[in-house]
Amino acid sequence: MIKELKPTDVVSGFKVRPGYYLINGATPVLGGVNFTIHSIYATSCTLLLFKPEAKEPYARLKFPDSYKIGNTYSMIVFDLNISDFEYAYSFEGPYDESKGLIFDKNKYVLDPYARAVTGQSNWGERQDDSCVYKARVVNSNYDWGNSTKPALPFEELVIYETHVRGFTQDKSSGVKNNGTFAGIKEKIPYLKELGINAIELMPVFEFDEMGSYRNFDGEQLYDYWGYNTVCFFAPNTSYESDHEHNFEGTELKELIHELHSNGIEVILDVVFNHTAEGNELGPYFSFKGLDNNIYYMLTPDGKYYNFSGCGNVLNCNQPVVQQFILDCLRYWVTEYRVDGFRFDLASILGRNEDGSPMEKPPLLKSLAFDPILGDVKLIAEAWDAGGLYQVGSFPSWNRWAEWNGKYRDDLRRFLKGDGGLAWAAAQRITGSKDLYDPTYRGNNASVNFLTCHDGFTMYDMYSYNEKHNYKNGWNNTDGANDNNSWNCGAEGDTNDENVINLRNKMIKNAFATLMCSRGAALFLAGDEFCNTQFGNNNAYCQDSIVSWLDWSRKEKYRDIFEFYKYMIAFRKRFHVITDNSGKTTSSLPPVSIHSNIPWKTDFNDHSRMLGVMYAGLNRDNENLDEIVYFGVNAYWENVNVELPELPSGYAWKLYVDTGRNTDDVIVENKNIYLHNRCISMHGRSVIAVVAEKIN
């Protein structure tokens, strides 16, 4: 039985009593609202209550000294209706910039544990300079019923990376609720048709797209991607279709619930390496007002380290910050049922308070062994803007996976015909065992990708030799220069049919390679119908058709779309591609590498053809073997290829050959058997061949 709490004091005309110190943030309780916040160096804290959308508080409730335990302030305020107010805090404390102490009682401080944020609801509407971030109190009463997560094996993931707004903002998307969580929900039948089983959402935590608002050449530029977090516990309000009234995250929960019902996992791209407060010239609205020198990595003279490239760096392995991050992730897993997280610039999470890399970072270890996060996918972008590159060496505890940047770089170069990469490409396709010891890491270490939000789309990768970022306003100096792309003979759009056909073939080659590689696979939304960013490889500020998906291209590039569908289904159908059980009815190894001659791998600088064979028991019939051969000829001329010999009673059947005419690439139903185990592979083509029982 819940005991009804009674007020014990009156502060500024409000009935209050000491609160629940272990419950962070603002939480409805019987008869009132519990407010809890902590600061190590503050000397006092005041709760500020605002009428909705008001810029000045109508009440200031200073926490009595007796309401502080340790460094934590907690107070229950009675008779508050959560729909009638917004709140923030004010702190008093020492001011010494050289020590990173910058308390200012005149600044309004956003609760870092706020579940909903006001002040920036309508996308693209610039607030005046007097606007401050305030929080709303929300009820967490969404009914998940008896829903369960898909709980897919990591190595079987086909991850679809997308931006919430860009996915459906263009009118060509055909949805009712453009650019929102509800818009994605409308597209679930499409995701099912495509065949992906996981969606990775670019940042959905509250951010201000106007934070780095600029005007260049008559065009408005935004913080479109959302990698400058304002509040870590609140979904971005402008992604709600009813963002004026829905502060409870219900729309995002409904989206996740529906995705789960359709067997699709949800991975969030999270940014714990820095915040939107920037450096000493940036805004002051949350951590700076709480404990600037606790939450941020500071130089000896009180300035901000900048390993993120965005002005500041969160002090992730400081115990207070470590606990904050852990609380945040637990919240998203329990309240939103998220299946996994991709950590932006994750190497920063392994830096010490002085910025030096740590051998066993306590934060990463805590996340790896936390019981609430026990079945959650943890994926690191294993590098940062400060030069720390940890692909293959990110501290893992056999829990952390990595965006495999070496897969992207090696395969991009190999597929366009660069020499001396055959062995490296074979390693990447077969699970990067040279990077991830399979004895300890199994198949849960590598997320293979060729495209993502950062860089060229797949179409642009074979349409541009150089980046074309002039619309970003930095004279084309921003964005990566090492794209390993190839325009196939013409820069940008062209009417040359030979170039167009070659580009389409290269796109198919690349995606088939990704789908036939061991490890989780990720690709960028829109690649399946040749979406373009017009050569922009750093579209972080483009809230326009540059970043939005142009769904009209789905019909124009129907052939590419159907090929993507087929290869995703192919990967799912033949489990030996992702499985590493090692069991067969024959003596074939689970995975083997070949040149154009079976079992021969004396690759040299001129080698541009390689084959990979996967073998194992058929999951549906353990009396049958499942054997798949995937071949890549990155050479520009034909190469005669001999396939490995099969067990008695089996023959090789051709399923895919991108060297054939565009409309004749998928040949599974043509019953083309290679009884002599030989095939002439066309220049710049791939094949997928499957062993079939013939008697």
Side-chain angles (χ1 to χ4, degrees):
M1 182 177 178
I2 300 176
K3 180 180 179 181
E4 184 177 359
L5 298 175
K6 299 294 185 181
T8 58
D9 298 292
V10 175
V11 173
S12 298
F14 288 84
K15 298 175 182 178
V16 300
R17 66 167 293 135
Y20 296 104
Y21 291 83
L22 297 180
I23 303 177
N24 290 305
T27 310
V29 296
L30 192 63
V33 178
N34 182 81
F35 297 90
T36 300
I37 196 165
H38 51 78
S39 171
I40 293 178
Y41 292 107
T43 56
S44 70
C45 175
T46 299
L47 171 66
L48 310 175
L49 301 180
F50 299 76
K51 293 296 182 182
E53 301 184 9
K55 296 176 181 178
E56 297 297 331
Y58 70 86
R60 297 172 181 264
L61 287 72
K62 186 173 183 179
F63 285 75
D65 291 342
S66 60
Y67 284 35
K68 180 182 179 184
I69 295 179
N71 301 312
T72 302
Y73 302 86
S74 189
M75 176 169 58
I76 295 174
V77 181
F78 290 87
D79 302 323
L80 287 178
N81 185 332
I82 64 173
S83 63
D84 290 343
F85 74 93
E86 300 166 356
Y87 76 97
Y89 292 98
S90 171
F91 289 90
E92 293 188 59
Y95 192 95
D96 185 342
E97 290 185 356
S98 66
K99 295 180 179 179
L101 299 168
I102 55 172
F103 287 97
D104 185 342
K105 67 179 181 180
N106 297 314
K107 298 283 189 181
Y108 298 156
V109 175
L110 176 67
D111 180 1
Y113 282 86
R115 270 54 168 178
V117 177
T118 66
Q120 184 65 47
S121 295
N122 296 314
W123 179 278
E125 289 188 6
R126 187 170 178 81
Q127 306 295 328
D128 62 53
D129 293 338
S130 63
C131 178
V132 297
Y133 290 114
K134 297 163 292 180
R136 292 287 297 262
V137 183
V138 301
N139 276 313
S140 299
N141 56 6
Y142 184 79
D143 184 7
W144 290 92
N146 59 356
S147 65
T148 58
K149 295 183 177 183
L152 301 172
F154 184 86
E155 64 272 15
E156 294 183 7
L157 294 182
V158 180
I159 307 170
Y160 189 75
E161 188 199 29
T162 194
H163 186 279
V164 173
R165 180 171 170 84
F167 187 56
T168 62
Q169 181 59 26
D170 190 68
K171 63 180 181 180
S172 62
S173 67
V175 303
K176 176 183 177 182
N177 300 291
N178 300 84
T180 65
F181 297 126
I184 296 178
K185 185 179 176 182
E186 292 180 63
K187 283 291 188 181
I188 289 178
Y190 170 82
L191 298 177
K192 289 280 288 182
E193 179 190 4
L194 182 59
I196 59 98
N197 56 21
I199 186 168
E200 183 174 304
L201 299 178
M202 290 173 66
V204 300
F205 295 177
E206 187 68 68
F207 68 90
D208 180 6
E209 73 279 1
M210 308 303 291
S212 58
Y213 169 88
R214 292 179 292 126
N215 187 290
F216 174 73
D217 199 24
E219 298 289 333
Q220 294 183 2
L221 302 179
Y222 303 85
D223 186 3
Y224 171 78
W225 278 353
Y227 284 93
N228 280 311
T229 309
V230 165
C231 187
F232 291 82
F233 282 76
N236 190 33
T237 315
S238 63
Y239 285 168
E240 302 270 1
S241 60
D242 184 17
H243 50 252
E244 291 297 334
H245 305 97
N246 188 348
F247 292 102
E248 298 182 12
T250 302
E251 194 168 302
L252 176 55
K253 293 174 184 177
E254 290 175 346
L255 169 62
I256 295 173
H257 198 160
E258 190 66 20
L259 286 166
H260 284 174
S261 297
N262 284 276
I264 299 173
E265 294 195 344
V266 178
I267 299 169
L268 298 186
D269 191 344
V270 293
V271 188
F272 289 108
N273 56 77
H274 74 283
T275 78
E277 289 191 293
N279 58 20
E280 56 273 8
L281 301 178
Y284 177 127
F285 60 79
S286 187
F287 293 128
K288 285 182 178 180
L290 278 172
D291 274 316
N292 180 63
N293 62 338
I294 294 294
Y295 286 96
Y296 295 115
M297 286 187 191
L298 302 181
T299 64
D301 60 350
K303 303 296 184 182
Y304 295 85
Y305 280 117
N306 190 20
F307 303 120
S308 67
C310 299
N312 64 48
V313 180
L314 271 179
N315 195 7
C316 297
N317 287 292
Q318 204 283 342
V320 171
V321 186
Q322 181 181 336
Q323 186 61 51
F324 172 80
I325 295 173
L326 186 59
D327 289 343
C328 179
L329 296 177
R330 284 175 163 180
Y331 174 76
W332 284 95
V333 170
T334 56
E335 191 65 29
Y336 286 83
R337 307 295 173 91
V338 169
D339 302 278
F341 301 97
R342 178 265 188 189
F343 294 80
D344 181 64
L345 299 181
S347 289
I348 286 177
L349 278 62
R351 289 184 182 269
N352 209 335
E353 293 185 58
D354 62 0
S356 60
M358 306 175 76
E359 183 178 352
K360 295 181 179 180
L363 171 61
L364 301 182
K365 186 174 183 179
S366 295
L367 299 182
F369 292 105
D370 184 74
I372 292 292
L373 306 179
D375 62 352
V376 169
K377 276 88 172 175
L378 302 175
I379 304 170
E381 183 183 35
W383 55 84
D384 66 25
L388 186 57
Y389 187 81
Q390 295 178 302
V391 172
S393 62
F394 191 84
S396 71
W397 290 277
N398 202 27
R399 279 283 283 119
W400 284 86
E402 302 171 14
W403 264 27
N404 192 342
K406 291 185 178 180
Y407 180 97
R408 173 198 59 200
D409 298 341
D410 289 344
L411 263 300
R412 279 191 174 194
R413 292 180 59 203
F414 176 74
L415 288 169
K416 73 185 181 71
D418 288 2
L421 287 162
W423 182 250
Q427 292 300 306
R428 301 298 155 255
I429 292 172
T430 57
S432 294
K433 297 181 181 65
D434 57 333
L435 300 177
Y436 311 109
D437 187 339
T439 303
Y440 301 101
R441 304 294 296 275
N443 289 332
N444 65 350
S446 180
V447 176
N448 303 323
F449 70 104
L450 291 166
T451 59
C452 64
H453 69 275
D454 195 358
F456 282 145
T457 67
M458 186 73 83
Y459 177 84
D460 289 0
M461 189 167 75
Y462 293 114
S463 298
Y464 296 91
N465 283 346
E466 307 293 338
K467 64 186 181 184
H468 295 261
N469 297 356
Y470 292 100
K471 287 188 175 182
N472 293 355
W474 305 108
N475 197 29
N476 208 35
T477 59
D478 64 303
N481 295 313
D482 53 344
N483 297 290
N484 297 315
S485 61
W486 178 44
N487 66 17
C488 296
E491 189 74 358
D493 286 340
T494 178
N495 294 320
D496 189 321
E497 288 296 326
N498 291 327
V499 172
I500 292 171
N501 290 336
L502 178 57
R503 287 176 177 175
N504 290 346
K505 183 165 67 168
M506 296 297 289
I507 289 169
K508 291 175 182 177
N509 292 349
F511 192 69
T513 302
L514 180 64
M515 288 299 102
C516 290
S517 295
R518 183 155 285 178
L522 176 143
F523 67 98
L524 179 63
D527 279 351
E528 69 274 20
F529 49 73
C530 294
N531 197 60
T532 180
Q533 293 179 173
F534 311 99
N536 192 323
N537 75 349
N538 187 36
Y540 75 100
C541 57
Q542 297 293 331
D543 181 35
S544 66
I545 197 61
V546 173
S547 290
W548 303 343
L549 268 62
D550 180 357
W551 290 84
S552 68
R553 295 174 74 91
K554 179 172 175 284
E555 203 52 49
K556 180 178 180 181
Y557 293 96
R558 169 65 63 174
D559 178 58
I560 298 293
F561 175 72
E562 293 297 333
F563 185 81
Y564 267 63
K565 280 174 52 178
Y566 180 84
M567 288 310 306
I568 293 172
F570 183 89
R571 174 186 174 91
K572 291 180 177 180
R573 188 177 8 159
F574 297 107
H575 298 285
V576 289
I577 296 173
T578 56
D579 188 19
N580 197 29
S581 64
K583 297 179 181 179
T584 61
T585 62
S586 65
S587 59
L588 293 176
V591 60
S592 54
I593 299 170
H594 310 266
S595 64
N596 63 315
I597 300 174
W599 310 105
K600 187 176 181 181
T601 57
D602 54 343
F603 296 120
N604 56 50
D605 287 349
H606 302 289
S607 300
R608 289 178 172 83
M609 188 277 154
L610 69 87
V612 171
M613 183 170 67
Y614 300 108
L617 292 179
N618 188 297
R619 285 191 182 182
D620 299 323
N621 186 345
E622 292 194 356
N623 294 318
L624 294 177
D625 280 335
E626 187 173 278
I627 307 169
V628 174
Y629 178 95
F630 178 71
V632 184
N633 178 23
Y635 193 46
W636 39 91
E637 295 182 3
N638 288 16
V639 172
N640 293 323
V641 176
E642 181 184 351
L643 304 177
E645 186 174 357
L646 290 170
S648 177
Y650 289 87
W652 288 115
K653 179 181 176 182
L654 187 65
Y655 275 55
V656 172
D657 182 357
T658 63
R660 300 168 70 93
N661 292 332
T662 299
D663 58 353
D664 196 29
V665 167
I666 300 169
V667 295
E668 175 184 350
N669 294 328
K670 293 183 179 294
N671 294 321
I672 302 173
Y673 288 92
L674 307 175
H675 293 287
N676 63 354
R677 297 189 291 111
C678 292
I679 184 172
S680 178
M681 288 190 65
H682 293 267
R684 303 193 190 278
S685 70
V686 303
I687 59 171
V689 192
V690 178
E692 291 204 356
K693 196 75 170 176
I694 56 175
N695 56 28

